[in-house]
Amino acid sequence: SQQGEEDPQALSIQEGENATMNCSYKTSINNLQWYRQNSGRGLVHLILIRSNEREKHSGRLRVTLDTSKKSSSLLITASRAADTASYFCATEGSQGNLIFGKGTKLSVKP
Amino acid sequence: NAGVMQNPRHLVRRRGQEARLRCSPMKGHSHVYWYRQLPEEGLKFMVYLQKENIIDESGMPKERFSAEFPKEGPSILRIQQVVRGDSAAYFCASSAVKDSPLHFGNGTRLTVT
């Protein structure tokens, strides 16, 4: 069953602009993770935010978590063409496996 | 330090044949996860294994699919009597401990003709 749902499904922006992707989930969590997938490749872990954290930064990435709304957002600032990829949020299932959403496909035009 | 290695990268099978997909986790990782991805879709969880044990196989079809992670050697995802609907990319991921970030391989793309 789907736990996380990303929004929007697709996003197209110009280089230099900021990109914001949202994730909503259904059940309570210990942490939420964001991953990136370049075309034809495996996923790469970007950032993990714990349920007691509200915001976390890593380079040009900023992740927020609102447990009362069961939602998270990923902000990429000053986007580059190389940021073009699909972005997924993931939350843990009952046995410790990760459940992924359908992803947001980001296209950054030079 | 090699990452998660999956082979083969591409696999073509005729309907009714068997497909064997291999995954060598990162060194020191004892947790292995298999996922399936259809084009333009997210990853669907299939099975979670920890050395010699299946922890959660709730995402794996009951028939024709099986997975193992022996004490020695890679994890194997086996699909018997493949059908066209099995065509997809199959990704393996590993982690050192439960609840830690996953490291993914680059997948095996299975095409059933």
Side-chain angles (χ1 to χ4, degrees):
Chain A
S1 62
Q2 210 76 34
Q3 167 72 309
E5 289 281 342
E6 291 89 348
D7 167 59
Q9 289 188 343
L11 180 60
S12 183
I13 59 175
Q14 293 294 131
E15 217 168 19
E17 293 180 338
N18 294 342
T20 300
M21 288 157 268
N22 303 297
C23 168
S24 58
Y25 56 92
K26 294 173 185 168
T27 60
S28 61
I29 57 170
N30 293 320
N31 62 65
L32 184 142
Q33 302 181 40
W34 284 91
Y35 287 78
R36 163 197 168 124
Q37 183 181 33
N38 287 82
S39 181
R41 306 295 294 255
L43 275 70
V44 174
H45 177 256
L46 294 176
I47 201 161
L48 180 154
I49 186 165
R50 302 199 182 280
S51 59
N52 62 353
E53 297 175 308
R54 291 295 165 259
E55 190 170 308
K56 204 162 181 180
H57 296 254
S58 176
R60 292 184 297 113
L61 304 181
R62 175 184 163 232
V63 167
T64 62
L65 179 64
D66 187 335
T67 52
S68 66
K69 293 181 180 176
K70 290 189 170 60
S71 69
S72 173
S73 67
L74 170 67
L75 168 67
I76 304 174
T77 59
S79 63
R80 304 166 183 168
D83 294 329
T84 294
S86 290
Y87 292 82
F88 298 89
C89 68
T91 54
E92 72 272 22
S94 58
Q95 302 271 12
N97 56 301
L98 273 191
I99 301 174
F100 289 85
K102 290 189 178 179
T104 292
K105 196 168 185 177
L106 173 65
S107 174
V108 181
K109 296 178 181 166
Chain B
N1 194 11
V4 177
M5 303 300 292
Q6 287 189 251
N7 67 81
R9 194 86 163 85
H10 300 274
L11 182 61
V12 179
R13 283 288 178 265
R14 290 201 181 96
R15 276 182 298 170
Q17 290 185 321
E18 178 179 289
R20 276 184 179 241
L21 288 62
R22 292 175 185 76
C23 168
S24 295
M26 281 186 71
K27 191 176 179 181
H29 286 192
S30 61
H31 300 255
V32 165
Y33 310 77
W34 285 94
Y35 289 84
R36 169 187 159 120
Q37 186 177 37
L38 293 170
E40 307 300 318
E41 301 239 340
L43 274 73
K44 183 170 181 257
F45 167 74
M46 297 183 74
V47 62
Y48 163 30
L49 309 105
Q50 192 182 359
K51 275 294 183 184
E52 300 184 90
N53 294 308
I54 294 176
I55 306 300
D56 181 359
E57 56 183 347
S58 60
M60 201 155 67
K62 296 270 186 286
E63 296 178 356
R64 301 189 299 108
F65 285 73
S66 62
E68 62 175 15
F69 186 18
K71 191 175 178 182
E72 302 290 338
S75 175
I76 306 284
L77 179 67
R78 183 179 174 209
I79 311 173
Q80 295 178 289
Q81 299 171 337
V82 295
V83 301
R84 287 223 173 102
D86 296 333
S87 295
Y90 292 85
F91 288 94
C92 168
S94 72
S95 67
V97 296
K98 190 177 159 182
D99 292 343
S100 61
L102 300 188
H103 296 259
F104 279 82
N106 281 326
T108 292
R109 272 140 194 88
L110 172 66
T111 302
V112 179
T113 60

